[in-house]
Amino acid sequence: MKKVILLFLFAIVSTYAQDSSEMVSFEGKIANRNSDSIVVSSGRNFGKTIKLNKKGEFKDAFEIPAAGLFQIFDGTEATLVYLKSGYNLKLTMDAKKFDESIVYSGNGSKENNYLAKKALSDEAFGIVAEDLMKEDQAGFTRGLNKKKESDLANLSSADIDADLVALLNPMIEQDAKMFAQYYGQKLEASKMAGTPFPSFSFENHKGGMSKISDFKGKLVYIDVWATWCGPCRAEIPFLKKAEEKYKGKNIEFVSISIDSKKDYDKWKKFVVDKKLGGVQLIAENDWNSDLVKALKISGIPRFILVDVEGNIMIADAPRPSSDAFNSTLDELLSY
């Protein structure tokens, strides 16, 4: 659920932008680092890779396209940071604890410690939301409204930059709307269980056309994704581990890209450069594809589990990075 919350936030990070370039300084130390760099980004418009030394330390000064919210990705997990001209931020974090360990100091620390605290609150709500998903729509709506009202009250009383407050107010409202959409998606997905997976044909990266029915007799774990989707790319390392773990088992891993026609060559190259495994397919017409419409997909990545008879088992399956993923597959493949 944490990744779902982050997906909602990242989807609107680049929506609230100003028209100026601003310089910031950013340094820190990450214990138990997950990689040798971090990436600071905002939608498709900005990306800055900062190298870490052997001690997990980094220091850089760089120009951002505008003051606002950015994503920090350490190769495994991600969080939001607020950057503004003149900020001189210092981050300390233990990657094994991640959100629980994030502390900022320096100019801009008050705003970013607020965001770190809010991330913990959002993560805690994610646990509650799993139970809310099991309730009827009225019960879910009551729980969601309570969370929204609490967030707005906390923001109103917070002593932070007025520009950040102006960014977060509409985002909190938008978060609630996206959660409601997610609930609706879950509800629709539950109705698909036991129905045949649509018999659409997709171009195969290795050549020719393929259908999911080609893999009848095996479990099929499907990843609907796109090269431009940050949360999709974040799942790739976990998907690769899963492919290795379940190698030789009665399961096929199939990735279906919904990249647009203009990004077709980018998809072809991405599969090769990133050495993606499994079966790599691409759907026509991106968000207007028959696949997206038939499965009522409103956000990606979306994972689907198809049984050996070619019927949808779980239309909104656990992500490779989730604890539920391994337990689900272990149980299904234990025979």
Side-chain angles (χ1 to χ4, degrees), residues 40-311:
V40 181
S41 62
S42 177
R44 305 187 205 182
N45 303 318
F46 174 81
K48 170 70 176 178
T49 299
I50 304 175
K51 293 291 185 180
L52 310 181
N53 65 20
K54 292 181 179 179
K55 295 181 180 180
E57 299 167 334
F58 65 91
K59 186 173 184 178
D60 207 340
F62 52 93
E63 191 175 65
I64 56 174
L69 290 164
F70 294 77
Q71 172 188 346
I72 299 175
F73 180 57
D74 78 335
T76 300
E77 295 200 59
T79 189
L80 290 182
V81 62
Y82 178 65
L83 298 178
K84 191 173 184 177
S85 181
Y87 271 19
N88 187 358
L89 271 179
K90 184 172 183 178
L91 164 69
T92 59
M93 180 181 73
D94 184 337
K96 285 187 176 179
K97 299 177 182 178
F98 208 81
D99 289 329
E100 294 82 356
S101 66
I102 291 175
V103 177
Y104 291 94
S105 59
N107 188 18
S109 60
K110 186 164 53 176
E111 287 71 21
N112 284 291
N113 284 324
Y114 172 85
L115 285 177
K117 185 177 179 181
K118 184 179 183 300
L120 288 176
S121 173
D122 289 342
E123 186 172 357
F125 175 71
I127 298 172
V128 175
E130 293 288 358
D131 291 329
L132 287 176
M133 292 288 179
K134 300 171 186 176
E135 295 193 17
D136 60 21
Q137 191 158 5
F140 175 80
T141 301
R142 282 194 299 271
L144 186 59
N145 285 339
K146 183 178 180 180
K147 171 66 163 58
K148 182 180 74 171
E149 290 164 6
S150 175
D151 282 349
L152 289 173
N154 289 337
L155 180 62
S156 177
S157 62
D159 180 25
I160 57 175
D161 188 287
D163 289 340
L164 177 57
V165 174
L167 290 179
L168 291 179
N169 258 309
M171 286 182 69
I172 290 171
E173 295 283 354
Q174 186 70 5
D175 284 350
K177 290 179 182 178
M178 287 184 172
F179 255 114
Q181 291 174 358
Y182 182 65
Y183 175 82
Q185 176 178 297
K186 284 279 191 181
L187 193 62
E188 289 297 327
S190 67
K191 298 175 183 177
M192 297 179 195
T195 63
F197 190 90
S199 59
F200 304 133
S201 293
F202 307 98
E203 180 181 340
N204 193 313
H205 190 274
K206 292 183 177 179
M209 305 293 289
S210 296
K211 296 181 179 180
I212 298 303
S213 58
D214 294 342
F215 310 107
K216 193 171 182 179
K218 289 186 176 182
L219 287 175
V220 184
Y221 183 79
I222 301 170
D223 172 14
V224 182
W225 71 295
T227 58
W228 50 261
C229 169
C232 300
R233 296 196 302 271
E235 292 293 331
I236 290 174
F238 299 97
L239 187 57
K240 286 184 174 181
K241 289 179 182 178
E243 290 167 353
E244 184 61 30
K245 176 181 178 180
Y246 297 106
K247 187 177 182 180
K249 296 287 187 178
N250 194 44
I251 186 169
E252 196 75 52
F253 291 92
V254 179
S255 297
I256 305 176
S257 166
I258 58 167
D259 277 288
S260 63
K261 289 182 178 179
K262 69 179 180 62
D263 289 330
Y264 174 81
D265 290 336
K266 180 181 178 182
W267 166 72
K268 294 279 286 187
K269 186 174 185 297
F270 189 95
V271 171
V272 174
D273 290 349
K274 300 299 181 181
K275 299 179 180 177
L276 301 189
V279 179
Q280 298 293 328
L281 310 177
I282 188 167
E284 292 185 351
N285 300 324
D286 49 269
W287 286 106
N288 291 314
S289 68
D290 291 335
L291 173 73
V292 168
K293 292 177 181 177
L295 298 179
K296 299 181 181 179
I297 296 173
S298 58
I300 54 174
R302 172 76 171 272
F303 300 94
I304 304 156
L305 192 60
V306 177
D307 67 19
V308 295
E309 298 297 327
N311 297 318

